[in-house]
Amino acid sequence: MVMGEKKVTVALVGNPNAGKTTIFNNLTGARQHVGNYPGVTVEKKEGYRKFNDKEFFIVDLPGTYSLTAYSLEEVITRNFIVNDKPEMVIDIVDTSNLERNLYLTVQLLELERPAILALNMIDVANSTGLKIDDSKLSKYLGGISVIRTNGVGNEGMENLLESISKTNNNRNFSSFRLNYGKEIEAAIQNLEPLLTPLYKNIQFPTRWLALKLLENDTDIIESVQGLEGAQQALQMSNELRRELLRELGEDVEVFIAGQRYQFVGKVYQHAVDSRNVNAETISDKIDKFLTNRVFGLPIFFALMWLVFNLVFTLGAIPSDMIDAGFGAFGSYLDGIISDGPLKSLIVDGVVGGVGSVLVFIPSILLLFLAIAILEDTGYMARAAFIMDRVMRRFGLHGKSFIPLLLGFGCSATAMMGTRTLENPRDRIITMLVSPLMSCSAKLPVYTILIAAFFEEKIAGNVLFSIYLLGIILAMIMAWVFRTTLFEGESEPFVMELPPYRVPTFKSVLIHMWERSTLYLKKAGTIILAASILMWFLTTYPKDIEYAKDYDGLLAMAEEAYSEQVVKEVLLPLSIEELSENAKVATLVDVIQQEEESFLEQTKELEESSSEYSVLMAAKEQKKQQLEKENTEVYSYAEKYITLTQSLEENKANIGNEKSGENLEKSYAGQFGKAIEPAIRPLGFDWRIGISLVSGVTAKEVVVSTMGTIYSIGDGNENASSMTKALQKDEHMNPLVAYALMIFVLIYSPCLAALAVMKRETNSWKWPAVSFVYSTTLAWIVTFLIYQGGKLLGFGS
Ligand code: GDP
Ligand code: MG
């Protein structure tokens, strides 16, 4: 076959932050696709590049420091190299941290695929005065091609492509062999013959396989176990391990790692001249300050405080605009669609439900923007380091801090973020407690309830108290889990602190966008579906038996009204219709318009505000004026208006009572009634019960459900009307509202988070534990707060 026709697979490998993605983007341009590795959510980026008539298929593998089986990223990377057999592996190293990066290089070479070493960030290395002898480096590493690159400056890409096609043509990849010392080498020789027969089933190089068995690599042992002839090899490797332990005086894997480090140190010493390097980099200088024992924590908290304030104050501005937009859109639709189930579905169900959730997009975008900046500058890793001392007291690992922080954005993201933790016990504890961090989906619930029941002065403190309670509970629960389910110390803190960088605008935006789309998709799918389902469950069945004859009541009200109009207005004026007396009819119109415009102007105002009283006085004055001008008929016009108004009120009350009964007898209502006894001690009625149950699909749905429940009948869906509806509700008061916020904070993670947890732990056990423990905890804490509050006299 002619080379030019064959697809050449090129894998990019390297430490996190070495610049893989940057180079990947340089190489592939727009021809790329982002997906996930099968079964897991580690990102998989693939793209194409044509060069010298050859089509390269380029894969950006997950960043990793090593190729042991500690993390998913490591296993994915090595399996890809072994199973997919890329024609070329490009090892991208951060040249300014060459020694550390070479540790991975050595392990890559042991996988015996053709490879190229890309000395990336060469600009940084040069600026610090590092001098590298490329040919010596190549010699020590078995003759590998060495190419200097600058990902950001897009330099060296041509050379890289050139080198891929050349090396590939000649197939002259080197065989590299690190000598592990006579004991290990002897053991490898003993083991290799037993492993050769396995090669047809598992295509790892046999020398590497031998090393991994000696290292007791669990992933490899598992994949070998079932194979024919493997038992003998495994038995042999166990014996050898015991022997080696005696001979070497330390664990084999520790010894092997040590040999690798030694080798890398030697290569570095010979190939790199670091005499001119400033011992203290700028990053070191910044770190002296930011990770200082004394200032570290206060700076950290100050930054977090700043982030939260920015997120919530800046975010409020566009949120209000979106809210107003949806309100207007709802009214517009209300006007153009004719009455009936379709209108109710669209206006109440879809626009109301989804709209009440989309309002929070700006805050969420800002939160993710802040997290992306913290990550990309390198501060996030420092924060983990600073927090390690604190977290450790509660049985958490410093690295747990990052997923916990992500938890403020989204619990599902937080669970994915636990991947940075190597120890499975640390991971599970972190997954169990991270939903206690108040995720951004819970924010809408708090905002609505706080706006309705707490004065603006204390709103910030109320909100803060809930976030704080979440953090405290997370710490307590982590400690509880650590001392009961998972006894033992957490792993010691080993984490590379990447150098500080000025984040690029593009990468921050991409990071922010990737996370936010998750939320948007949720609003578009889960929340839309939940809104429609809730609308259905709250509107049907239609053919219920009403306790009262509402239609009869309506007719009676109309009749009484007509009688009174005749008696008190028409008869005294000796007319049969109001229109017969033009003067009165006009006056009625004028006064009504006056009242309407007053209502319109004061819609957003508090009755106690001075603006309100000014408008009120102006209206009264206008009416007095009218009275003077029309002394003889004014009282009749006013009488007529009062009667009409009270009829409207009567009708509205009857309508509300009817829709209230509708709701109560709907499917959702029946269900809510059924669970009401369980939540009554928390101060919740059946309507809150429905909202909470529906909120398990996604926490935002609590709001959209309340939106649907509390606004059925008045057709108006914006947040301020919901606030009013909540205030009017006799069952609600500040204590119930607070209890509700607490319950929403703690109870079961949403379906998405539970699903991610299942995928990450590969069993339904942990999502089940999470659901049960958090809902129980929510009940207990809410019970204490509600009943305690009532004892203290807050309950009214
Ligand atoms: P990955 O984690 O390996 O995918 O690394 P990224 O491609 O995301 O790069 C990490 C950071 O290093 C980004 O902020 C890049 O802009 C930056 N970067 C990448 N290559 C270079 C380089 O050659 N020189 C400099 N100065 N910065 C680089
Ligand atoms: Mg990357």
Side-chain angles (χ1 to χ4, degrees):
M1 191 195 310
V2 185
M3 240 5 247
E5 290 172 352
K6 192 173 175 292
K7 191 178 76 172
V8 178
T9 304
V10 178
L12 305 186
V13 184
N15 288 9
N17 277 314
K20 286 179 307 303
T21 305
T22 311
I23 290 187
F24 173 81
N25 288 338
N26 289 347
L27 292 179
T28 59
R31 301 184 61 201
Q32 48 174 281
H33 167 83
V34 184
N36 275 321
Y37 287 93
V40 292
T41 47
V42 175
E43 192 176 85
K44 184 179 194 187
K45 280 193 166 152
E46 304 167 333
Y48 286 94
R49 172 62 183 252
K50 253 207 156 77
F51 186 79
N52 287 350
D53 289 339
K54 254 183 245 173
E55 179 93 341
F56 295 137
F57 174 62
I58 304 175
V59 184
D60 184 12
L61 290 173
T64 127
Y65 294 108
S66 169
L67 290 182
T68 48
Y70 264 133
S71 70
L72 211 51
E73 282 79 4
E74 299 180 42
V75 174
I76 287 175
T77 301
R78 71 186 196 190
N79 283 345
F80 184 86
I81 295 174
V82 172
N83 299 331
D84 290 55
K85 301 217 178 317
E87 275 72 20
M88 181 60 65
V89 176
I90 303 185
D91 175 25
I92 295 171
V93 296
D94 169 1
T95 316
S96 59
N97 280 299
L98 188 58
E99 188 168 358
R100 184 186 83 201
N101 280 245
L102 285 177
Y103 186 67
L104 175 69
T105 309
V106 168
Q107 296 182 67
L108 269 177
L109 291 174
E110 286 180 329
L111 283 173
E112 298 177 14
R113 293 304 305 166
I116 295 175
L117 186 67
L119 294 181
N120 194 38
M121 309 230 178
I122 196 72
D123 52 319
V124 183
N126 286 340
S127 72
T128 55
L130 212 58
K131 289 205 174 59
I132 294 147
D133 185 334
D134 297 13
S135 58
K136 268 194 191 156
L137 193 58
S138 165
K139 201 181 89 203
Y140 279 106
L141 299 174
I144 189 173
S145 309
V146 177
I147 311 282
R148 298 178 167 225
T149 60
N150 172 350
V152 168
N154 202 0
E155 290 163 27
M157 300 302 133
E158 289 278 315
N159 291 345
L160 212 49
L161 289 165
E162 197 77 58
S163 185
I164 303 172
S165 51
K166 265 212 310 257
T167 316
N168 190 55
N169 275 338
N170 307 337
R171 292 249 160 213
N172 68 342
F173 62 88
S174 57
S175 54
F176 162 85
R177 190 154 285 199
L178 197 165
N179 190 326
Y180 285 96
K182 64 175 193 309
E183 295 89 354
I184 302 280
E185 291 298 331
I188 294 176
Q189 292 217 325
N190 279 331
L191 211 46
E192 267 196 280
L194 295 178
L195 298 173
T196 327
L198 302 183
Y199 189 77
K200 63 175 187 298
N201 291 316
I202 179 168
Q203 311 228 316
F204 292 103
T206 48
R207 180 181 163 84
W208 188 79
L209 202 51
L211 265 173
K212 288 293 134 182
L213 291 183
L214 292 176
E215 281 180 299
N216 203 23
D217 183 301
T218 45
D219 182 66
I220 292 295
I221 292 176
E222 257 175 49
S223 34
V224 168
Q225 224 149 32
L227 303 178
E228 217 184 290
Q231 281 319 314
Q232 213 187 342
L234 287 175
Q235 220 170 354
M236 167 77 104
S237 83
N238 278 338
E239 265 166 44
L240 288 168
R241 275 174 57 77
R242 269 196 299 276
E243 237 169 75
L244 285 168
L245 178 64
R246 246 194 340 269
E247 283 173 20
L248 302 169
E250 63 183 324
D251 275 340
V252 187
E253 55 268 37
V254 176
F255 179 82
I256 290 179
Q259 292 294 97
R260 283 197 191 112
Y261 276 118
Q262 251 179 31
F263 175 77
V264 166
K266 206 175 72 194
V267 174
Y268 188 79
Q269 239 176 22
H270 284 86
V272 178
D273 176 0
S274 57
R275 274 173 306 182
N276 294 328
V277 173
N278 231 334
E280 196 174 61
T281 63
I282 299 174
S283 274
D284 293 337
K285 281 188 198 134
I286 301 176
D287 269 342
K288 271 212 171 131
F289 187 62
L290 287 186
T291 60
N292 182 287
R293 274 199 163 261
V294 184
F295 304 128
L297 268 181
I299 294 176
F300 165 73
F301 282 118
L303 273 174
M304 291 303 118
W305 183 86
L306 194 71
V307 164
F308 273 77
N309 269 286
L310 277 182
V311 166
F312 297 124
T313 47
L314 272 187
I317 302 166
S319 288
D320 288 345
M321 295 182 340
I322 296 179
D323 187 27
F326 266 98
F329 187 53
S331 321
Y332 167 73
L333 291 178
D334 201 41
I336 60 163
I337 307 175
S338 52
D339 282 332
L342 180 68
K343 174 176 180 166
S344 162
L345 168 66
I346 293 177
V347 178
D348 295 330
V350 178
V351 178
V354 175
S356 54
V357 169
L358 287 186
V359 166
F360 299 93
I361 289 281
S363 299
I364 284 155
L365 282 176
L366 279 171
L367 182 68
F368 286 139
L369 174 70
I371 290 177
I373 292 176
L374 289 176
E375 260 182 350
D376 285 11
T377 48
Y379 184 75
M380 202 71 115
R382 269 76 183 183
F385 173 74
I386 296 166
M387 289 304 287
D388 191 52
R389 265 173 287 154
V390 182
M391 309 280 270
R392 202 157 281 278
R393 301 224 175 114
F394 301 97
L396 281 167
H397 190 276
K399 282 193 209 170
S400 304
F401 165 75
I402 295 173
L404 290 182
L405 189 69
L406 290 175
F408 285 119
C410 167
S411 306
T413 323
M415 304 220 171
M416 291 180 210
T418 59
R419 293 220 180 112
T420 46
L421 291 156
E422 269 118 34
N423 182 319
R425 294 186 302 186
D426 290 342
R427 275 193 82 185
I428 289 174
I429 295 181
T430 311
M431 280 193 217
L432 287 175
V433 302
S434 62
L436 290 168
M437 302 289 114
S438 231
C439 76
S440 54
K442 295 173 191 167
L443 188 61
V445 188
Y446 307 151
T447 321
I448 293 269
L449 288 169
I450 289 177
F453 295 103
F454 296 90
E455 283 171 46
E456 218 165 303
K457 279 205 305 284
I458 58 163
N461 292 340
V462 173
L463 187 62
F464 187 70
S465 74
I466 291 171
Y467 275 85
L468 193 66
L469 179 70
I471 297 171
I472 294 171
L473 283 175
M475 295 299 139
I476 295 175
M477 288 317 295
W479 180 82
V480 170
F481 287 131
R482 173 65 72 190
T483 46
T484 54
L485 291 179
F486 298 104
E487 271 182 89
E489 275 286 298
S490 63
E491 295 260 303
F493 188 90
V494 229
M495 182 168 173
E496 297 289 345
L497 296 184
Y500 286 104
R501 290 213 178 83
V502 179
T504 62
F505 189 61
K506 197 171 115 194
S507 103
V508 166
L509 279 192
I510 289 176
H511 268 148
M512 174 180 100
W513 181 245
E514 282 170 354
R515 297 225 175 88
S516 311
T517 43
L518 204 71
Y519 185 87
L520 280 171
K521 274 187 207 145
K522 223 163 57 163
T525 54
I526 300 183
I527 295 170
L528 177 62
S531 299
I532 293 175
L533 182 69
M534 281 320 293
W535 169 82
F536 175 80
L537 292 178
T538 50
T539 325
Y540 289 87
K542 281 276 188 202
D543 53 343
I544 54 174
E545 283 252 341
Y546 289 108
K548 289 184 191 166
D549 174 15
Y550 293 104
D551 296 337
L553 286 174
L554 276 179
M556 261 159 65
E558 298 263 10
E559 206 171 307
Y561 164 77
S562 309
E563 268 173 31
Q564 272 177 307
V565 169
V566 169
K567 199 170 106 206
E568 294 176 32
V569 181
L570 302 182
L571 271 185
L573 289 169
S574 357
I575 47 175
E576 280 176 19
E577 291 274 341
L578 197 67
S579 53
E580 286 170 29
N581 186 326
K583 211 170 176 192
V584 181
T586 324
L587 193 55
V588 165
D589 276 349
V590 172
I591 299 176
Q592 267 173 345
Q593 267 166 24
E594 194 58 37
E595 293 285 352
E596 263 167 36
S597 84
F598 173 74
L599 282 181
E600 185 60 34
Q601 282 169 333
T602 54
K603 206 166 70 182
E604 305 276 315
L605 297 177
E606 301 263 342
E607 277 179 36
S608 54
S609 70
S610 58
E611 253 178 285
Y612 187 92
S613 5
V614 171
L615 287 169
M616 182 79 164
K619 185 190 77 172
E620 290 304 324
Q621 204 183 356
K622 188 86 186 280
K623 279 168 77 176
Q624 275 166 16
Q625 179 76 21
L626 286 169
E627 188 169 3
K628 255 191 237 139
E629 287 164 10
N630 306 282
T631 13
E632 71 285 16
V633 290
Y634 186 83
S635 63
Y636 295 113
E638 195 159 51
K639 188 83 218 172
Y640 181 80
I641 290 172
T642 321
L643 286 174
T644 313
Q645 268 172 358
S646 77
L647 172 68
E648 291 304 325
E649 263 167 42
N650 260 340
K651 274 159 73 175
N653 283 341
I654 295 169
N656 278 344
E657 211 178 318
K658 182 177 176 186
S659 52
E661 200 183 329
N662 253 333
L663 177 63
E664 204 170 333
K665 295 193 170 154
S666 68
Y667 296 119
Q670 294 168 22
F671 181 73
K673 288 265 174 187
I675 61 166
E676 196 179 53
I679 52 173
R680 183 133 292 287
L682 313 181
F684 303 159
D685 69 352
W686 53 277
R687 285 171 305 173
I688 294 180
I690 304 170
S691 311
L692 289 174
V693 171
S694 67
V696 178
T697 52
K699 290 300 162 77
E700 307 89 324
V701 172
V702 174
V703 171
S704 50
T705 305
M706 292 202 317
T708 313
I709 292 180
Y710 284 89
S711 67
I712 280 181
D714 73 0
N716 197 345
E717 290 293 344
N718 57 37
S720 52
S721 75
M722 202 165 125
T723 311
K724 292 214 178 85
L726 282 169
Q727 282 167 338
K728 262 191 277 170
D729 192 86
E730 65 215 25
H731 185 80
M732 293 296 293
N733 61 49
L735 182 61
V736 175
Y738 197 74
L740 179 54
M741 291 190 270
I742 298 295
F743 195 87
V744 169
L745 163 72
I746 309 172
Y747 89 117
S748 170
C750 69
L751 281 186
L754 291 172
V756 170
M757 198 168 182
K758 144 86 183 27
R759 195 174 48 202
E760 295 292 313
T761 58
N762 216 358
S763 105
W764 280 109
K765 176 177 162 199
W766 293 113
V769 169
S770 179
F771 179 87
V772 172
Y773 109 78
S774 56
T775 308
T776 315
L777 184 69
W779 198 93
I780 295 170
V781 175
T782 311
F783 179 82
L784 292 177
I785 286 179
Y786 178 70
Q787 297 296 342
K790 242 176 43 176
L791 283 182
L792 295 175
F794 287 117
S796 49

